[in-house]
């Protein structure tokens, strides 16, 4: 509040480097977060791929956006756990009793989360190519995909930070993240929503994963985009604003 | 300007129905060692948290270096440093990386040199590039304190700094605290050991039942505290017996002399009785 913007940015940057360094010391975590979606891709692409019917599309092409969302959820677990670990140890009191910007800790964790998620999604996309993913979007389409994925990435990382702040233990925080692993399955990620019935279909159509997945699919496969991109963007921005505000509030409250 | 570094008046704090601090008032002089003495659960940590801006009081005033801890928290944080009860270090990082982080956050010049200085000051240079998770309890505590001392704060809060340390490390900690005060740092420490408070502090305040039960210099407190016994050990039974009779006149060699300090409970009982009796 009393501090110049530039200085508080520097605090966040130092915290970001700290969080990255912590991740580097725990490569197993990133490996696990990448292996699960990798096997999911393998399983859906090979075993279920033959029985799934998604019209004229190749099933592997169809599921790539859903698997990416899954991998983001998986990898974000570690943001939640790292935040929860910080909050339960004395280190957070040290940071809070220093003259550094209050949001630096949260921004640092979010930033490191985004980097980890990006690594994990990149691995997933490369794997997809090896398994037969053949997108035909243009350069601009890909730019939009990357931009959208970055926004989604920030939104999910912030949700993870929030989960880490709310939970009492690191183990509990990954439990709170569980819905994020399930949501891609109840969306257009693995089956078209019009093949679903009743309540599940209704839920799949209104939840944010569907417009995000539809947008990525349309952009990578050259399908009509409709208004799904705008809905996806609106969701991302809303989640980012709400999750950040909530996280900042919880951070302040949990410590006083 | 006054010589008072910390001024606490009428401090109150409750957690739901539990009134932890009922009315706490004390002052800490610049450059002194101040000990807040109290048993477990007396509210020592609550006081430290309020003074270090981590917690807001329900009512009362706290100023540090003339700054209000609630309204001017940011400036207060610039001159203080906190070492809590639980070591505040990153386990997966090395000692050097931990110190570096604090140096960067405090925007110190020549962080690299300062980190090396503190590492050697605390005899951690050999372990500098090892993960903290491999450190012993004493090493962790030393690193923790080193992190607090980066940037030479004017006031350092030490919340039970010797709890969980072995005797050797405890003595090393005591020497360090004395050294800090000689260097002009104001030291605010909490402890549950009367012995520690008497040895270290220039001024002691005893926190009990949410209030400051008694305060003063160690010399003054000795006069109002319950009587102390001394246990004298002699070379033989006979000598001991003889000593009983001759102690006043003859100089008998005393092999060891052990002071029996009253327990904190005795102190509380004696002091509360005295107040109640008036």
């Amino acid at each position: 509040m009393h501090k110049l913007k530039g200085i508080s940015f520097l605090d966040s940057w130092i915290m970001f480097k700290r969080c990255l360094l912590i991740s580097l010391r725990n490569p197993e975590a990133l490996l696990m977060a990448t292996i699960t979606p990798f096997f999911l891709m393998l399983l859906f692409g090979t075993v279920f791929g033959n029985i799934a019917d998604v019209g004229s599309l190749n099933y592997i092409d169809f599921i790539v956006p859903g698997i990416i969302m899954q991998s983001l959820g998986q990898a974000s677990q570690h943001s939640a756990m790292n935040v929860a670990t910080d909050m339960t140890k004395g280190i957070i009191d040290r940071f809070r009793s220093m003259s550094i910007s209050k949001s630096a800790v949260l921004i640092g964790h979010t930033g490191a989360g985004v980097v980890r998620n990006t690594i994990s999604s990149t691995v997933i996309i490369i794997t997809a190519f090896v398994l037969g993913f053949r997108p035909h979007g243009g350069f601009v389409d890909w730019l939009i995909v990357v931009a959208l994925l970055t926004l989604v990435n920030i939104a999910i990382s912030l949700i993870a930070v929030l989960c880490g702040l709310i939970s009492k233990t690191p183990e509990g925080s990954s439990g709170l993240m569980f819905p994020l692993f399930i949501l891609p399955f109840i969306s257009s990620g693995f089956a078209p929503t019009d093949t679903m019935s009743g309540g599940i279909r209704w839920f799949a159509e209104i939840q944010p994963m569907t417009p995000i997945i539809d947008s990525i699919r349309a952009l990578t496969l050259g399908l009509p985009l409709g208004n799904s991109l705008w809905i996806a963007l609106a969701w991302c921005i809303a989640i980012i604003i709400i999750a950040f505000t909530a996280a900042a509030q919880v951070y302040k409250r949990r410590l006083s | 300007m006054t010589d008072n570094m910390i001024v606490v008046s009428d401090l109150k704090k409750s957690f739901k129905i539990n009134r932890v601090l009922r009315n706490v008032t004390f002052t800490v002089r610049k450059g002194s060692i101040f000990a807040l003495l109290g048993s477990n659960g007396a509210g020592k940590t609550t006081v430290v948290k309020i003074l270090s801006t981590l917690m807001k009081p329900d009512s009362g005033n706290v100023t540090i270096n003339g700054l209000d801890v609630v309204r001017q928290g940011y400036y207060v944080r610039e001159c203080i440093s906190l070492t809590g009860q639980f070591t505040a270090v990153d386990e997966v990082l090395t000692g050097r990386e931990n110190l570096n982080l604090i140096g960067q956050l405090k925007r110190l010049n020549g962080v690299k040199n300062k980190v090396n200085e503190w590492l050697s000051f605390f005899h951690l240079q050999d372990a500098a590039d090892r993960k903290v998770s491999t450190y012993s309890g004493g090493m962790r505590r030393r690193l923790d304190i080193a992190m607090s001392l980066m940037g030479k704060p004017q006031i350092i809060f030490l919340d039970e700094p010797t709890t969980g340390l072995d005797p050797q490390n405890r003595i090393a900690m005591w020497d360090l605290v004395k050294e800090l005060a000689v260097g002009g740092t104001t030291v605010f420490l909490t402890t549950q050991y009367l012995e520690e408070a008497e040895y270290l502090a220039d001024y002691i305040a005893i926190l009990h039942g949410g209030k400051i039960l008694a305060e003063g210099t160690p010399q003054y407190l000795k006069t109002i505290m319950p009587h102390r016994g001394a246990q004298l050990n002699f070379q033989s039974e006979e000598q001991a017996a003889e000593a009983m009779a001759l102690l006043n006149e003859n100089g008998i060699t005393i092999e060891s002399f052990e002071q029996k300090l009253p327990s904190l409970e005795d102190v509380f009982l004696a002091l509360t009785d005295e107040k109640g009796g008036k």
Side-chain angles (χ1 to χ4, degrees), chain B residues 157-212:
Chain B
F157 292 100
L158 299 168
D159 195 6
E160 301 203 6
T162 59
T163 300
L165 289 187
D166 57 37
Q168 198 189 345
N169 277 311
R170 169 174 298 196
I171 288 165
M173 178 67 70
W174 285 356
D175 290 344
L176 173 71
V177 169
K178 292 248 178 198
E179 224 168 290
L180 285 174
V182 169
T185 311
T186 307
V187 182
F188 181 104
L189 66 92
T190 72
T191 179
Q192 16 179 339
Y193 309 112
L194 183 59
E195 168 199 30
E196 181 165 283
E198 283 187 348
Y199 175 73
L200 278 179
D202 302 314
Y203 200 87
I204 301 170
I206 301 174
L207 182 66
H208 184 70
K211 289 176 182 164
I212 299 296

Side-chain angles (χ1 to χ4, degrees), chain A residues 25-49:
Chain A
R25 294 293 149 79
N26 189 8
E28 300 89 353
L30 187 64
L31 196 66
M32 277 311 294
T34 312
I35 277 180
T36 319
F38 169 79
F39 276 105
L40 208 63
M41 172 89 80
L42 210 61
L43 213 62
F44 276 90
T46 55
V47 182
F48 301 119

Side-chain angles (χ1 to χ4, degrees), chain A residues 1-3 7-8 10-11 14-15 17-18 21-22 25 86 89-91 93-100 102 255-256, chain B residues 49 52-55 74-75 77-78 80 82 86 88-90 92-94 97 101-102 104-107 131 144 147-148:
Chain A
M1 43 184 171
H2 306 285
K3 218 166 193 178
I7 298 174
S8 87
L10 194 52
D11 287 336
I14 295 165
M15 284 297 176
K17 287 195 293 183
R18 162 181 178 259
L21 203 55
I22 290 174
R25 294 293 149 79
D86 267 6
K89 294 242 171 92
I91 193 101
D93 280 349
R94 178 184 295 287
F95 292 147
R96 282 190 75 239
S97 65
M98 289 174 67
S99 52
I100 56 176
K102 286 239 193 287
L255 295 153
S256 55
Chain B
K49 285 198 164 178
S52 57
T53 79
L54 295 186
M55 210 180 253
Y74 180 81
Y75 296 103
R77 286 191 284 277
E78 289 206 312
I80 65 165
L82 168 69
F86 305 102
V89 295
D90 269 327
V92 294
L93 304 184
T94 66
E97 285 163 345
L101 173 74
I102 302 300
Q104 287 177 5
L105 285 171
K106 290 202 168 170
R107 313 277 193 277
K131 281 189 190 181
D144 196 30
M147 286 165 79
S148 294

Side-chain angles (χ1 to χ4, degrees), chain B residues 17-18 62 81 83 90 121 143 147 154 204 249 264:
Chain B
I17 53 158
N18 186 10
V62 180
S81 169
T83 304
D90 269 327
F121 183 81
L143 177 66
M147 286 165 79
Q154 295 179 60
I204 301 170
E249 306 146 56
L264 264 190

